[in-house]
Amino acid sequence: MPVDLSGTWNMVSNENFEDYMLALGIDFATRKIAKMVKPQKVIRQNGDNFTIRTLSTFRNYLVQFKVGEEFDEDTKGLDNRKCKSLVTWDNDRLTCVQKGEKMNRGWTHWIDGDELHLEMFCEGHVCKQRFQRA
Ligand code: VL7
């Protein structure tokens, strides 16, 4: 049975988000607000097709993709960059490489116990988030 990340997840911890935002060049005012919010992840996993919504009182972000198929990602409302993104399974970890202006950029999701984990990385900076089912 493959891992199923589907569900509605509430953020319970967020480490090093400031460094990650700095690496992405997010301005001071936006960072101050962004680090106050506790986003919710709403994930729909249907075979190889995914919809991941990151929802907050400040901004929302939507990404849709098929595992193994590179797609054009526009990080609109975040750092507003264009990436060629590719999501694959690395064993039980759903891993995205976001090829673009920023080096070594991407994220990885996995489940450990009843928690959803997310690491987002950019140019050597790693932000670590944990979520629990809503
Ligand atoms: C998306 C934010 C910092 C701008 C607002 C931040 C708070 C959040 O891409 C993401 O998740 C992946 C994996 O689940 C799927 O798209 C995370 C949030 C990262 C980066 C940029 C700060 C402004 C609002 C929407």
Side-chain angles (χ1 to χ4, degrees), residues 61-80:
Y61 186 67
L62 166 70
V63 68
Q64 291 182 283
F65 56 85
K66 186 169 187 164
V67 174
E69 285 187 9
E70 190 175 76
F71 62 100
D72 292 305
E73 183 172 10
D74 181 345
T75 63
K76 207 168 159 53
L78 303 178
D79 61 314
N80 298 301

Side-chain angles (χ1 to χ4, degrees), residues 40 126 132:
Q40 194 171 54
V126 184
Q132 291 177 355

Side-chain angles (χ1 to χ4, degrees), residues 14 17 21 30-39 57-58:
N14 191 4
F17 189 45
M21 289 194 288
T30 305
R31 291 200 312 275
K32 296 306 128 189
I33 302 167
K35 71 181 186 192
M36 300 294 294
V37 301
K38 293 249 179 295
T57 49
F58 179 43

Side-chain angles (χ1 to χ4, degrees), residues 82-93:
K82 305 262 199 287
C83 300
K84 294 279 182 196
S85 300
L86 175 64
V87 182
T88 55
W89 284 109
D90 172 13
N91 295 306
D92 283 346
R93 295 184 180 223

Side-chain angles (χ1 to χ4, degrees), residues 9-11 14 34 37-41 54-56 129 131:
W9 302 87
N10 293 331
M11 182 190 278
N14 191 4
V37 301
K38 293 249 179 295
Q40 194 171 54
K41 288 280 174 197
T54 308
L55 306 174
S56 79
Q129 302 182 337
F131 300 79

